[in-house]
Amino acid sequence: MIKVTDAVLENEEDSSLVMSTGVIGQKLPIDNILQGIPKLALSNLGSSHEHWLACAQAICTTDTFPKLVSKQFDLNGTTYTLAGLAKGAGMICPNMATLLGFFATDAPVTSNALNQILKYAVDRSFNSISVDGDMSTNDTIVAIANGAAGGKVIDASAESAEEFSVLRTEITGFAQQLAQLVVRDGEGATKFITIKVTDATSYREAKEISSSIANSSLFKTAMYGNDANWGRILCAIGYAKVNANAVNPSRTSVSLVPADGNEPLPLLVNGEPEDVDEERALQILQNEEIGIHVSLGTGGGQEATYWTCDLTHDYVTINADYRS
């Protein structure tokens, strides 16, 4: 595939990259692929929105919609563009698993700097999502920068610190937007859930705890059933792989955060159960978007956010019929 693609596009040898998805262990129809590459190159290459959309649609498997995002931002008086696409709807945790993604920008940035930015951004986006807590064998996120918009070259030196920080912020937000589309398209999902853990002793521990909640089948089924069962959240916090002093139950608080921006509904405050207004809890949980806020009360001030979805009957149906 690489050799044929390089030849068709007149690239340098071994300059193409291959991403793979599908049923594990299933051999690809390589003859059909090799015959199709020149045909695609002749009739389907382009830079318009329609070309990007066609590419995003082509890589969908159990995805129900193509995932494509673009944005522009200003830096030192120059407008730069980010565009990207991804595929994934299940088996994406931990750390992307069976997810594929591609970013491109016309900002002038060195490979070393872009690599650092990508790792930072992915850790806070594609490595902070879950659908079912399961994983597959293939995952790739690729970022390229051609510098076509011009301007000062951004590297990882102290001289470029301000520009580096701005670009990292822009790419991180961009990656989060694209990663969240994967969760919104989670197999069988009816709800998009944001889990924010605050006041942790470190970012790593905040992320580990938020991940533990996001991957709890009991928590996810409770969200599907509109059940404000804080016990399932506290249980998942308790078995998170963190240091013993990372969690103090007598300082831990849990709240439901409504999508409409109104005041959160406390479920647990400093380890003590609240007299929950079940009617208001139901109103919050019946929305397609739900927020969970966990404050660990350690005084550490570190936080992390994870995005997940509920676990439904349809998820079982989709995966029970995956090969049939």
Side-chain angles (χ1 to χ4, degrees), residues 1-291:
M1 283 189 279
I2 292 173
K3 288 180 179 179
V4 171
T5 303
D6 285 343
V8 168
L9 300 180
E10 299 181 352
N11 290 336
E12 295 181 7
E13 186 176 353
D14 293 336
S15 65
S16 299
L17 294 172
V18 172
M19 300 183 186
S20 178
T21 186
V23 178
I24 297 170
Q26 192 78 29
K27 291 185 177 181
L28 297 174
I30 190 66
D31 290 338
N32 292 344
I33 293 171
L34 298 183
Q35 292 172 20
I37 291 171
K39 297 177 183 177
L40 289 170
L42 287 172
S43 60
N44 290 276
L45 289 181
S47 58
S48 69
H49 172 74
E50 288 70 26
H51 287 100
W52 278 85
L53 181 59
C55 187
Q57 290 171 329
I59 62 174
C60 291
T61 50
T62 57
D63 305 58
T64 63
F65 62 83
K67 298 161 183 67
L68 177 63
V69 174
S70 64
K71 67 177 292 187
Q72 290 186 319
F73 63 96
D74 292 326
L75 180 58
N76 293 334
T78 301
T79 299
Y80 296 110
T81 301
L82 277 165
L85 52 86
K87 68 83 54 192
M91 299 177 75
I92 58 169
C93 182
N95 297 349
M96 297 187 294
T98 189
L99 185 148
L100 304 177
F102 179 82
F103 306 165
T105 181
D106 55 9
V109 55
T110 65
S111 295
N112 179 46
L114 184 59
N115 186 49
Q116 292 183 41
I117 289 171
L118 184 63
K119 287 182 177 180
Y120 180 93
V122 166
D123 194 44
R124 290 157 177 77
S125 57
F126 290 98
N127 286 350
S128 293
I129 59 174
S130 175
V131 170
D132 50 19
D134 217 325
M135 69 187 87
S136 187
T137 58
N138 303 69
D139 60 86
T140 306
I141 295 288
V142 173
I144 65 169
N146 60 20
K152 176 186 174 183
V153 175
I154 301 169
D155 57 29
S157 68
E159 290 76 13
S160 288
E162 183 177 347
E163 292 83 2
F164 180 93
S165 178
V166 171
L167 184 61
R168 189 177 70 174
T169 298
E170 293 291 344
I171 290 180
T172 299
F174 175 82
Q176 288 174 344
Q177 187 179 358
L178 194 53
Q180 288 173 30
L181 291 179
V182 176
V183 177
R184 292 182 184 277
D185 195 25
E187 292 172 348
T190 65
K191 294 173 182 175
F192 176 79
I193 306 165
T194 300
I195 301 168
K196 187 171 185 178
V197 174
T198 63
D199 207 13
T201 55
S202 69
Y203 168 74
R204 189 200 70 80
E205 290 181 330
K207 184 177 178 182
E208 181 63 38
I209 289 168
S210 59
S211 171
S212 185
I213 299 168
N215 287 301
S216 165
S217 295
L218 288 176
F219 163 72
K220 291 158 73 69
T221 51
M223 295 297 96
Y224 175 60
N226 303 320
D227 182 9
N229 189 340
W230 59 263
R232 294 185 177 181
I233 298 173
L234 209 63
C235 177
I237 295 172
Y239 61 65
K241 297 177 182 178
V242 295
N243 294 327
N245 62 353
V247 179
N248 183 342
S250 66
R251 293 178 178 271
T252 301
S253 301
V254 177
S255 299
L256 286 178
V257 181
D260 58 13
N262 287 328
E263 286 294 313
L265 176 65
L267 305 179
L268 187 76
V269 177
N270 291 326
E272 294 295 328
E274 292 291 284
D275 185 12
V276 177
D277 182 344
E278 295 290 349
E279 184 176 345
R280 184 169 178 236
L282 180 61
Q283 290 175 347
I284 295 172
L285 291 170
Q286 284 178 330
N287 285 296
E288 291 184 5
E289 298 203 13
I290 302 167

